[in-house]
Amino acid sequence: MEYTMIATWKMSYDGIGLAKEALEKGCSVKEAIRIAIQNVEEREEFISVGHGGLPNIDGHVQLDAAYMDGDTLDFGGIIEVEDIKSPIAVAQDLCGLKCNCLLSGKGAESYAKKNGFPFENHLCESSKKRWEEKKKEDIEELQAYEGHDTVCVLGKVKKHLGVGVSTSGLFMKQEGRVGDSPIIGSGFYADSLIGCAAATGLGEDIMRGCLSLRVVDKMAEGKHVQEAVNKVLDAHIKRMALMKKDCDAISLIAMDKDGNCAASTNICEFPFVVLQDNDIKLFVATYKEGMHNVFEADETWLKQYKGD
């Protein structure tokens, strides 16, 4: 396969379509991933990423993003930034630096300004309204998938793998809170000799298992990509249960070095998009009574789907 992509959530469908057009013209895996993610970052209706993202407890939209190159194992990321128009673009720019490749807050914003990246206010009226309504409620029990979560995109061009992620993080999060998305090995990982993986869900629970790296390690052991994501997620759920902790919402996507794709989840339905054999399809991973399944979404499913 010359190129393959897999991305989280139905919201990534249009972006994957734009990436496909660029890939047909010969763009790199890095460019394709950026194009797909920026489409989600720019659209206010996708409330957990970029413009119009979910505010923190103080009403600020603070964004995280990261990128990893599977050929070089270089990575770049930004944490808890405000007003950077495209967080994934800055994360990709940092990827390749030997040091200072993961920047947070004011330092990341300063880097973006010095390097000419555009800025815009992401707290639009709709996100402000959501924050004002939510702050009236009891927010002790935060739900990771309230309005959906991280956009994760895995890509393969020839033998070159890459992974990018972007998110506004947990709704009503505390100032300074960091989730899994910009943390290498937890929210994302790529090795062109093996495969790549990314996670979406409650960051604290994902980080407890370093789940993306574990999926890649399973593939390195010779496990099929679907078996790898299922085994890693099931093992993590069991380990959390041993600590008498409920494992919050987690979904994983993965791709092996040959372009085979898979997804696994511990929620009822998790839609994801795959570009393979020059065709874009929407699939749904399911989890019921401890059993995993994946099916292609049809018109009946799309009509009842209430998400993005």
Side-chain angles (χ1 to χ4, degrees):
M1 301 173 189
E2 284 294 300
Y3 55 79
T4 305
M5 300 184 80
I6 178 173
T8 55
W9 304 113
K10 180 176 172 287
M11 66 182 173
S12 64
Y13 191 94
D14 291 344
I16 293 296
L18 294 173
K20 178 178 179 289
E21 293 176 7
L23 286 164
E24 289 170 348
K25 296 175 183 176
C27 85
S28 67
V29 67
K30 183 177 183 180
E31 290 176 278
I33 289 171
R34 176 182 52 77
I35 289 167
I37 290 178
Q38 282 182 328
N39 179 261
V40 181
E41 288 180 334
E42 293 167 358
R43 294 170 64 176
E44 185 179 325
E45 68 265 34
F46 300 142
I47 65 173
S48 59
V49 178
H51 190 65
L54 295 166
N56 70 4
I57 199 166
D58 297 320
H60 300 281
V61 177
Q62 297 183 312
L63 308 174
D64 305 325
Y67 180 78
M68 186 169 185
D69 185 313
D71 277 7
T72 62
L73 303 187
D74 289 335
F75 71 98
I78 55 176
I79 300 172
E80 204 180 47
V81 300
E82 295 185 38
D83 299 336
I84 292 177
K85 183 173 182 178
S86 175
I88 189 60
V90 180
Q92 286 190 332
D93 198 65
L94 288 163
C95 180
L97 299 180
K98 182 176 177 59
C99 300
N100 302 304
C101 59
L102 181 61
L103 302 179
S104 66
K106 299 301 181 185
E109 292 162 14
S110 176
Y111 175 89
K113 286 176 183 175
K114 288 177 182 177
N115 287 276
F117 288 93
F119 279 62
E120 70 173 343
N121 180 13
H122 292 304
L123 185 66
C124 60
E125 284 303 313
S126 58
S127 54
K128 185 177 180 181
K129 182 179 179 181
R130 276 188 290 274
W131 172 72
E132 289 174 340
E133 290 174 351
K134 191 66 176 177
K135 69 179 181 178
K136 300 173 185 176
E137 303 173 14
D138 181 358
I139 58 170
E140 285 299 311
E141 295 297 324
L142 298 173
Q143 296 296 316
Y145 282 171
E146 186 172 341
H148 288 322
D149 199 56
T150 309
V151 59
C152 309
V153 180
L154 314 180
K156 173 182 177 289
V157 175
K158 296 182 179 179
K159 295 183 178 180
H160 191 178
L161 300 184
V163 55
V165 302
S166 185
T167 185
S168 60
L170 190 67
F171 190 17
M172 303 298 283
K173 63 189 177 185
Q174 292 291 328
E175 181 83 20
R177 181 262 186 185
V178 180
D180 66 294
S181 295
I183 306 302
I184 186 172
S186 286
F188 64 96
Y189 200 81
D191 185 336
S192 294
L193 299 180
I194 305 165
C196 50
T200 177
L202 185 64
E204 285 79 357
D205 281 356
I206 293 167
M207 288 188 284
R208 286 185 172 95
C210 299
L211 297 184
S212 293
L213 178 57
R214 287 199 178 187
V215 170
V216 175
D217 283 345
K218 284 292 181 187
M219 288 189 279
E221 294 171 4
K223 296 289 190 295
H224 183 272
V225 60
Q226 187 65 61
E227 184 181 8
V229 289
N230 287 348
K231 281 188 174 294
V232 166
L233 186 51
D234 286 346
H236 189 54
I237 292 169
K238 289 178 181 177
R239 182 64 182 90
M240 293 282 284
L242 285 174
M243 299 183 290
K244 301 190 185 308
K245 294 179 183 289
D246 290 328
C247 191
D248 211 303
I250 296 175
S251 298
L252 303 172
I253 58 171
M255 180 194 303
D256 67 19
K257 62 183 178 62
D258 298 316
N260 297 303
C261 296
S264 190
T265 189
N266 69 347
I267 62 174
C268 293
E269 293 185 328
F270 164 62
F272 63 99
V273 180
V274 175
L275 166 60
Q276 202 167 46
D277 299 325
N278 210 36
D279 195 15
I280 303 173
K281 294 181 179 180
L282 178 68
F283 292 91
V284 183
T286 65
Y287 184 72
K288 185 176 181 180
E289 297 177 351
M291 299 296 293
H292 297 282
N293 187 36
V294 175
F295 63 88
E296 185 177 348
D298 58 16
E299 288 299 321
T300 300
W301 185 87
L302 285 168
K303 286 178 181 178
Q304 62 80 45
Y305 182 56
K306 302 300 183 185
D308 49 23

